[in-house]
Amino acid sequence: MANEKIIELKGVERHYVQGPRKLTILNGAEFSLRRGEMVALVAPSGAGKSTLLHTAGLLEKPDAGDVILAGRACGRLSDDARTSIRRNDIGFVYQFHHLLPEFSAIENVMLPQLVKGLAPAEARARAGQLLEYMQIGKRGQHRPSELSGGEQQRVAIARAVANAPLVLLADEPTGNLDPVTASYVFDALFALVRQSGLAALIATHNHELAGRMDRRVTLADGKVVPL
Ligand SMILES: Nc1ncnc2c1ncn2[C@@H]1O[C@H](COP(=O)(O)OP(=O)(O)OP(=O)(O)O)[C@@H](O)[C@H]1O
């Protein structure tokens, strides 16, 4: 279904306790993302972008409310259940690549597939295709330390979609790159998302990149609102 809601946040609350103070970061946040939709999350530092992405990505549990993934309530499940869903259905890209330094680029993209139980030959073939798609097919045998910042992020993006997740969540994926490199990496990310029909929520401070997505949202008083 083209219009299917892939991910929904319903009444999500997140609070942090800092000494005697209780910080409310998400306060009844409502949000939904449909199949094939690419949405930018643009908000000032400290507004709660990472908190929202981590909660949507089942890395953190909401204090109230729930996260619905393809119709299934997942936010309040046990840590083990959320980890297993995350592994198969959610792709995450961070500002810093978090690639495993002792493995080559192609091995980094194979790993999530091997953990899922794919045969090594299949995992290698898919990883090779994804690296080609990200325009770094020739760099597959290199370790992360032998790649440029832009190349490292391309590998991290390929790894995030290696298991064909339902949704891609990205936290400032090009925030660590110079503007020109950021734009090229984003072109590749954009093409990959469009080609695969993935739903994507991407936090960025870059208004030009945000302007290329289907819609933009921000955080105000702990709620997700259109920008
Ligand atoms: N584990 C935690 N314990 C206490 N406070 C936290 C914790 N995690 C985040 N915060 C606070 O919650 C607020 C929102 O943090 P968050 O990282 O979600 O913001 P952000 O919009 O992603 O910021 P940035 O753009 O700087 O990454 C901040 O004030 C932060 O200090």
Side-chain angles (χ1 to χ4, degrees):
M1 270 192 300
N3 221 14
E4 183 191 351
K5 282 184 187 170
I6 294 297
I7 194 163
E8 282 181 87
L9 270 63
K10 288 195 168 168
V12 168
E13 292 184 22
R14 284 291 283 130
H15 312 282
Y16 296 117
V17 177
Q18 274 187 351
R21 294 200 320 147
K22 182 174 147 186
L23 291 176
T24 294
I25 309 301
L26 299 177
N27 193 12
E30 303 274 334
F31 174 70
S32 61
L33 192 62
R34 294 178 187 276
R35 186 178 291 283
E37 199 180 27
M38 206 171 180
V39 176
L41 173 60
V42 185
S45 185
K49 297 181 296 296
S50 300
T51 302
L52 181 80
L53 287 168
H54 291 171
T55 309
L58 309 182
L59 285 160
E60 294 180 18
K61 250 186 190 175
D63 296 304
D66 215 333
V67 178
I68 320 292
L69 198 65
R72 179 181 178 200
C74 297
R76 318 293 297 272
L77 296 173
S78 67
D79 288 356
D80 283 353
R82 282 183 296 117
T83 300
S84 146
I85 296 167
R86 213 166 52 232
R87 218 174 258 157
N88 295 319
D89 294 332
I90 296 171
F92 220 105
V93 183
Y94 300 87
Q95 180 172 358
F96 299 98
H97 57 79
H98 295 299
L99 296 172
L100 296 174
E102 65 273 30
F103 292 99
S104 67
I106 196 159
E107 287 166 346
N108 266 281
V109 183
M110 288 171 67
L111 270 170
Q113 303 178 75
L114 298 177
V115 170
K116 193 180 175 182
L118 243 76
E122 254 180 285
R124 184 172 288 278
R126 177 162 168 80
Q129 279 171 358
L130 286 168
L131 291 178
E132 285 291 339
Y133 206 88
M134 292 305 290
Q135 296 172 357
I136 40 163
K138 291 192 175 69
R139 313 287 284 159
Q141 302 309 322
H142 292 264
R143 291 189 181 195
S145 61
E146 298 163 345
L147 300 174
S148 71
E151 288 170 338
Q152 290 167 345
Q153 268 319 61
R154 286 169 193 263
V155 179
I157 293 165
R159 178 184 57 179
V161 301
N163 280 340
L166 291 169
V167 62
L168 179 70
L169 302 171
D171 198 351
E172 295 280 352
T174 58
N176 191 39
L177 306 174
D178 67 77
V180 174
T181 307
S183 180
Y184 283 128
V185 170
F186 194 80
D187 286 346
L189 170 63
F190 205 86
L192 184 70
V193 168
R194 289 303 189 215
Q195 179 261 352
S196 58
L198 260 176
L201 176 62
I202 300 176
T204 179
H205 282 115
N206 185 321
H207 286 268
E208 194 258 318
L209 298 183
R212 294 169 58 186
M213 298 189 219
D214 300 320
R215 56 189 174 97
R216 285 142 290 285
V217 296
T218 190
L219 282 161
D221 298 327
K223 295 193 168 53
V224 182
V225 294
L227 186 66

